[in-house]
Amino acid sequence: MGKRTNTATWNGKQWRIAVQKDGQRRYFYSSTQGRAGQREANAKADAWLDSGVCAKGARVADIGALWLRSVELSTSTDNYRPLESRWRVWVLPVIGAKKVDRLTDQDLQDVLNLAHAAGKSRKTLKSIAADMRAFCKYCRKSKISAYEPEELTIPAGARYKGKNVLQPDELAVLFNSDTTTFNRQRVPDPYINAYRFQVLTGLRPGELLGLRWEDVHGGVVYICRSINQLGEETQGKNQNAVRSFALSARAWAVLEDQHKITGNTGSVFRINNQHHYHTRWWAYCRTNGIVTISTYELRHTFVSVAKTLPAGEVKGLVGHSQDMDTFGVYGHALTGDAENIAQAVNAAFDKLLGEG
């Protein structure tokens, strides 16, 4: 509790007490006569000293800068940059000038409604809502405000942004054409195995870049690192990104082809950075008449092909579990479930590629 060394005094009309905290001076009053009024004024002062709630506190923009700094220091640059962008573009213009202690659910809802009206996807709106909740939590932990959002809702009309995936005829091209265009000449694509492996496993682009030969053991791949767009090595997008799975026969064949090129040490696919990988993939698409999709959408292609598998199995393969299932991971290795899943994935691709 805050330390108060004085007490309210009667000025002929009301009880009045002045207290100071962190360089800020506040006055509290009570018009109730008698000692009850004195206790009431003192209680108001004590509550302010104890809670730290800043009734005349800084504005959202000021405290937001402090919060962003704490986030920057505690997370990867890959996670921080999109958060900072959402805050700067969507939150600050709407509530940046408001005092933190005056925020209401409607203020935050206005941010979401305006972003929705601007055409942002449901996923983006959920991220903005999570950002604002995290900011309010920071304010509570810092005793700047006691406010906790309760009634934020994503507008009913918001939809997830559609993803493009390779269609069966385009998958057939991917697994039959090894060439691309470089310097206006048709040449073998050095990353053809990377494209194919990503489609066959559902790896994120950063996980593909981070894959090393020592991560492959006896037909099982262990995903334990990722290389973000800034070239930084991280442990992945979240705790579920650290996982292992058995390779399908097709995926194993792709690795064997890659082994002939790079040997069995160091990086598997020897890709410089994510931007370079994206650029070469798009060149491959243009050369071979494939719809130009992002390398991340190669991951969505895998999920689309594997959609006939049980949802729980697919989530485990791509690192989408709600919680890390340690027994599930090791249980697969012991009971043979991982091998069965790998065979099912292989059968799905065989069927699409006309080899089933």
Side-chain angles (χ1 to χ4, degrees):
M1 183 172 180
K3 184 177 180 180
R4 175 174 54 83
T5 58
N6 58 341
T7 187
T9 58
W10 181 257
N11 62 11
K13 294 182 179 180
Q14 60 186 348
W15 292 96
R16 174 179 178 274
I17 181 173
V19 290
Q20 184 170 321
K21 180 182 61 180
D22 297 332
Q24 182 181 8
R25 191 174 184 82
R26 286 289 312 279
Y27 295 90
F28 297 91
Y29 305 88
S30 174
S31 58
T32 303
Q33 295 186 2
R35 295 301 176 186
Q38 184 184 45
R39 289 193 296 270
E40 182 178 326
N42 288 339
K44 291 179 180 179
D46 289 340
W48 180 69
L49 290 171
D50 186 38
S51 68
V53 174
C54 187
K56 295 183 179 179
R59 303 184 186 276
V60 171
D62 300 321
I63 304 303
L66 299 177
W67 168 64
L68 287 174
R69 177 58 177 164
S70 72
V71 173
E72 185 178 18
L73 294 174
S74 60
T75 190
S76 69
T77 305
D78 225 21
N79 289 330
Y80 170 75
R81 293 179 73 177
L83 183 153
E84 187 278 333
S85 177
R86 290 190 299 268
W87 186 263
R88 171 169 39 81
V89 174
W90 300 109
V91 180
L92 287 183
V94 183
I95 63 172
K98 288 186 174 291
K99 293 182 179 180
V100 174
D101 64 294
R102 298 293 182 87
L103 284 177
T104 66
D105 282 6
Q106 188 57 54
D107 292 328
L108 273 58
Q109 189 65 51
D110 287 344
V111 175
L112 296 176
N113 292 345
L114 289 171
H116 169 57
K120 303 314 293 181
S121 70
R122 190 174 190 85
K123 180 178 179 181
T124 298
L125 295 179
K126 291 177 70 174
S127 295
I128 294 173
D131 296 342
M132 293 190 294
R133 289 192 179 96
F135 168 73
C136 292
K137 183 177 181 180
Y138 171 84
C139 291
R140 293 194 302 274
K141 291 178 67 176
S142 302
K143 292 189 176 182
I144 296 170
S145 167
Y147 169 60
E148 183 173 2
E150 296 180 354
E151 300 294 336
L152 294 187
T153 58
I154 304 301
R159 296 289 182 266
Y160 287 105
K161 183 179 178 180
K163 296 293 184 180
N164 295 315
V165 298
L166 295 180
Q167 298 302 314
D169 57 335
E170 294 169 324
L171 281 170
V173 172
L174 174 61
F175 284 90
N176 285 282
S177 175
D178 298 341
T179 60
T180 187
T181 299
F182 187 73
N183 288 338
R184 299 183 180 181
Q185 294 185 345
R186 191 95 173 192
V187 297
D189 194 318
Y191 302 134
I192 186 64
N193 289 327
Y195 313 147
R196 292 172 178 173
F197 192 76
Q198 194 179 355
V199 166
L200 290 168
T201 60
L203 292 185
R204 298 177 176 92
E207 294 170 346
L208 187 81
L209 270 66
L211 189 65
R212 301 178 64 84
W213 283 110
E214 55 262 37
D215 302 328
V216 183
H217 302 282
V220 176
V221 168
Y222 296 83
I223 305 301
C224 51
R225 75 183 65 79
S226 180
I227 307 298
N228 66 23
Q229 295 186 18
L230 300 176
E232 301 168 336
E233 181 176 314
T234 72
Q235 292 185 340
K237 185 175 182 179
N238 51 49
Q239 64 177 356
N240 300 314
V242 179
R243 63 196 187 279
S244 65
F245 56 86
L247 290 167
S248 66
R250 282 185 174 276
W252 182 251
V254 169
L255 276 191
E256 288 185 322
D257 287 342
Q258 186 65 18
H259 178 267
K260 297 173 184 177
I261 300 172
T262 62
N264 60 357
T265 59
S267 172
V268 172
F269 295 106
R270 308 288 173 86
I271 302 171
N272 294 333
N273 53 65
Q274 285 203 35
H275 177 72
H276 179 67
Y277 181 54
H278 299 329
T279 301
R280 296 317 308 159
W281 161 246
W282 291 331
Y284 177 87
C285 290
R286 291 192 297 270
T287 300
N288 292 279
I290 295 177
V291 61
T292 303
I293 65 175
S294 70
T295 53
Y296 203 95
E297 286 171 323
L298 293 178
R299 172 176 166 83
H300 287 272
T301 300
F302 167 80
V303 175
S304 298
V305 174
K307 64 185 177 183
T308 57
L309 299 176
E313 294 179 354
V314 176
K315 286 183 178 181
L317 288 171
V318 298
H320 271 177
S321 301
Q322 295 301 315
D323 298 295
M324 176 62 74
D325 183 3
T326 303
F327 289 109
V329 172
Y330 291 100
H332 290 164
L334 292 173
T335 64
D337 286 347
E339 288 74 15
N340 293 334
I341 295 173
Q343 292 174 10
V345 170
N346 206 67
F349 276 98
D350 282 348
K351 182 177 179 180
L352 268 181
L353 295 170
E355 300 178 18

